[in-house]
Amino acid sequence: MKINVGVIAASGYAGGEAVRLLSYHPHVNLNYITSRKLITKYFHTIYPNLRNLSNLKFEEFNVKVAKEKCDFVFLAVPHRVSQEMVPELIDAGLKIIDLSADFRLKDVSTYKKYYKKEHTHPEILEKAVYGIPELHREQIKTAQLIAVAGCQASSAIYGLYPLISEGLIETNNIIVDSKTGSSGSGASFNEASHHPIRANSIRPYKMTGHRHTAEIEQELTNLNGGKQVKVGFSAHGVNLTRGILSTCHVFYNQNNTIEEKDLFRAYRKYFKDEPFLRLITQKSGIFRLPDPKLIIGTNFADVGFQIDGNMNRIVVLCALDNLIKGTAGNAVQCLNIMNGFPETEGLDFPGIFPL
Ligand SMILES: NC(=O)c1ccc[n+]([C@@H]2O[C@H](COP(=O)([O-])OP(=O)(O)OC[C@H]3O[C@@H](n4cnc5c(N)ncnc54)[C@H](OP(=O)(O)O)[C@@H]3O)[C@@H](O)[C@H]2O)c1
């Protein structure tokens, strides 16, 4: 069986990556890709990696056409735009996998605090399921609207959710220091993304108040039985095109001792049946901790840790590809769950090494 799928705003990096993945999915007939500025142009004119491999042409977005051609749409527009498009897609009876931030947060006041505007369709927030497959599998199965998690938020959540779920760490002083590649800010450019500014730099761009803080806190608080988890999140742009490495500093209770074996047990409990979460346990060699180099182009999130007994600290690292496990790959994994396909369908490939 094949399902009909469309990608709205396939011209952008997140939509473009969704097109690449969906084009090779054995159960997907990708038959509708849209753009405002590239109508009638072939996809491969802007994504030449699919030269000779794709005959898809960009079309103008029209909800009636989407309804005729598709069962599912991936929505890869900027936030605020998504908010205006989702209601008509829902009314058309389509299932929507939204890559934007618009339907991730359940609480409208938190949305306003971080996005500085009122949400225009708060009544839909209830319908949306947060798109982290490993945490919301059951709800994803029957959802009409998936709000795929933010890329940097995903990396923090994957690193931390076993420790929170097992009650192993303090929950009021979690620090996440995230480094991200330039594709994380999309295909459009500005002064800050200009090569002489962006290159050869570790650019601190959002030390406090980063929007992904809200998603991380929302998800970890749920896992903490509703008791508020506090996260300090800081983000840096680094000299990579793709990839994220989040370094999380968390603390365990002064009265406890924690040994490596306790943490291995906790991570194994949650990761053992997860096809895309890899715990790095290697004790020697140069890749003893997660490194974006190894997961670029894949749907894997690699997680590792070290214990700093000197100050009751655990340093947890998570590396993932912002455009795959941080966006389009998780979206395809959700699509698989919604259709009862094996979760790895269309995503089952390793990275390239050396890169
Ligand atoms: N990049 C990442 O790593 C990443 C990770 C996680 C989530 N996301 C999310 O995915 C979404 C897309 O991000 P991106 O990185 O792909 O951005 P992008 O490269 O800038 O692409 C966004 C696309 O949206 C279309 N668009 C822009 N304004 C529009 C409007 N007013 N109406 C309709 N279409 C409009 C544009 O296509 P046309 O001009 O051709 O119509 C553009 O190509 C965002 O919500 C972003 O937050 C991105």
Side-chain angles (χ1 to χ4, degrees), residues 9 11-15 34-38 75-79 81 85 99-101 104 149-151 183-188 322-323 326-327:
S11 50
Y13 285 160
T34 80
S35 156
R36 294 165 308 164
K37 59 181 185 289
L38 297 166
L75 187 54
V77 293
H79 67 274
V81 180
M85 295 178 80
L99 308 184
S100 89
R104 293 177 193 156
C151 49
S183 62
S185 48
S188 55
N322 54 299
L323 287 172
T327 319

Side-chain angles (χ1 to χ4, degrees), residues 2 21 75 114 120 145 147 176 214 238-240 257 307 320-321 329 342 346 348:
K2 285 209 177 201
L21 295 174
L75 187 54
Y114 282 92
T120 53
L145 172 62
V176 181
V238 295
N239 210 6
L240 293 172
T257 51
I307 298 173
L320 54 75
D321 185 324
D348 202 5

Side-chain angles (χ1 to χ4, degrees), residues 4 37 61-62 86 216 224 226 230 250 257 260 269 285-286 307 347:
N4 293 315
K37 59 181 185 289
F61 170 70
N62 177 310
V86 161
I216 303 167
N224 197 33
K230 296 300 281 178
V250 296
T257 51
E260 273 194 354
K269 177 173 168 186
I286 50 174
I307 298 173
L347 296 168

Side-chain angles (χ1 to χ4, degrees), residues 1-5 24-29 335-336 341-342 345:
M1 185 193 78
K2 285 209 177 201
I3 51 168
N4 293 315
V5 181
Y24 288 89
H25 192 297
H27 301 306
V28 167
N29 173 34
L335 180 79
N336 288 337
F341 304 146
E345 209 79 284

Side-chain angles (χ1 to χ4, degrees), residues 107 110 113-114 164 169-174 213-232:
D107 183 75
T110 308
K113 177 177 164 192
Y114 282 92
I164 297 284
I169 53 172
E170 292 179 356
T171 54
N172 60 351
N173 55 3
I174 294 170
T213 312
E215 292 175 44
I216 303 167
E217 288 191 347
Q218 170 180 286
E219 294 303 301
L220 297 184
T221 298
N222 284 343
L223 294 170
N224 197 33
K227 188 166 169 262
Q228 180 69 48
V229 173
K230 296 300 281 178
V231 176

Side-chain angles (χ1 to χ4, degrees), residues 154-175:
S154 307
S155 65
I157 291 167
Y158 286 132
L160 296 172
Y161 88 81
L163 301 185
I164 297 284
S165 302
E166 290 299 292
L168 288 172
I169 53 172
E170 292 179 356
T171 54
N172 60 351
N173 55 3
I174 294 170
I175 305 294

